[in-house]
Amino acid sequence: MGLLRGKQRSGSSTGATARIQARGRASSSPGHNVPFPVQEGPAVLLGEELRDLASKHPNLVLVKLDVANPSAIVSAAKIVEGKLNGAGLNLLINNAGIFTPVSLETVDSEEMIRAYKTNAVGPLLMAQAFLPLLKKAAQDSREEGLSCNKAAIINISTLLGSIERTPESYFKPVISYRCSKAALNMLTRCQALTYGKAGILCVALHPGWVKTDMGTQEADLTVDTSVQGLLSVLPILSEKHSGMLLNWKGKTIPW
């Protein structure tokens, strides 16, 4: 799932803020992160609420998206470009992720490729597809330095992708998830070094261990606590955070 924010050109001189919600992958498989599912279950209400919200607010647009499908990513980017009416895109949040409980002894090549395709390759292709819109937002902005108000790519990562900080207690059977998220952290650093020259901020954020289908109810944080934390971090991000991994409190995680 990607959350995208841009400025829509209108008949006025100021323009209206456009919030475009791109719906992510839906699956009934255990451990999959399904923010806006089509499957049966309590979480369906979230999807229904979003659709209801979008019907009441014309500046909120829902776009179907499968980050494991390159053509779907390109199509979503074209839809967003059309909705922005010639303006740029300020914020892209790559949040799609899958998780399968497999160990070093049980994981196979198919599972490793599947995890990398969604958790690392997906964000790579998303950034490529939306790069022209992000560059336009950066070029049109009057803000100095780097920020989410100017143009930014936020990759939702995890402490489990940190080679340096993950304690032994975290060595659970999630090898494909951990390796793919470590790749996402490196991707974020590479994006920061490259896209930063165009005025685009690139940061990886760890939302914490959250009570979701993926995190289970044994997790430490509620969804509200994690989301509110992340929302409070976004406005303070700047060039000094470029290429870094931070948690939901804004604290740096060495990786």
Side-chain angles (χ1 to χ4, degrees), residues 53-99:
L53 188 63
S55 68
K56 297 177 181 178
H57 299 277
N59 64 337
L60 177 61
V61 181
L62 300 181
V63 182
K64 286 187 176 181
L65 171 66
D66 181 352
V67 297
N69 183 340
S71 61
I73 293 175
V74 173
S75 296
K78 290 180 179 178
I79 293 174
V80 172
E81 182 178 12
K83 295 296 182 180
L84 293 175
N85 295 324
L89 180 71
N90 302 102
L91 181 61
L92 167 65
I93 300 179
N94 289 312
N95 184 56
I98 58 173
F99 165 101

Side-chain angles (χ1 to χ4, degrees), residues 87-133:
L89 180 71
N90 302 102
L91 181 61
L92 167 65
I93 300 179
N94 289 312
N95 184 56
I98 58 173
F99 165 101
T100 303
V102 288
S103 67
L104 280 170
E105 292 78 15
T106 61
V107 69
D108 57 24
S109 60
E110 183 178 346
E111 167 54 30
M112 288 295 287
I113 292 172
R114 192 170 67 93
Y116 272 85
K117 192 173 183 179
T118 296
N119 297 348
V121 179
L124 167 68
L125 297 181
M126 284 288 291
Q128 287 179 345
F130 287 96
L131 185 59
L133 296 175

